[in-house]
Amino acid sequence: MRLTLDEIYRQGLEALRNRLGRAGMIRFLQQLEAGQGDYAKERHKWLDRQSLEELRKLSAADKPRRKRRKS
């Protein structure tokens, strides 16, 4: 039996509702909403303004430093 896209959609919603409940289903579906804009273009706008060395410094600043054990 081959399902139509509408049937797959309806059965998928039913499965989500059965497994997660109505509120969980809604929360899950909200995560799937498409955003706006073009992430690649936006990323280039802020990344292209920084040098590779600046990005390395930012990356190093975010890493937690390990304490050395005394022997």
Side-chain angles (χ1 to χ4, degrees), residues 58-65:
L58 286 171
S59 176
D62 287 343
K63 292 181 183 176
R65 294 187 178 155

Side-chain angles (χ1 to χ4, degrees), residues 4-67:
T4 66
L5 291 178
D6 187 56
E7 290 168 329
I8 292 171
Y9 181 79
R10 289 177 188 275
Q11 287 185 21
L13 288 179
E14 183 179 341
L16 284 171
R17 189 184 71 238
N18 290 340
R19 179 70 178 183
L20 302 174
R22 289 180 190 262
M25 176 186 74
I26 291 168
R27 289 178 61 201
F28 176 79
L29 292 173
Q30 287 172 334
Q31 293 179 39
L32 299 179
E33 288 184 11
Q36 295 179 356
D38 185 333
Y39 173 74
K41 286 181 183 177
E42 295 294 321
R43 185 185 69 224
H44 280 288
K45 283 182 184 177
W46 57 269
L47 279 180
D48 290 348
R49 287 183 266 160
Q50 295 180 323
S51 69
L52 185 55
E53 187 58 34
E54 289 172 320
L55 293 173
R56 284 185 181 136
K57 287 178 185 176
L58 286 171
S59 176
D62 287 343
K63 292 181 183 176
R65 294 187 178 155
R66 289 184 171 178
K67 292 182 181 179

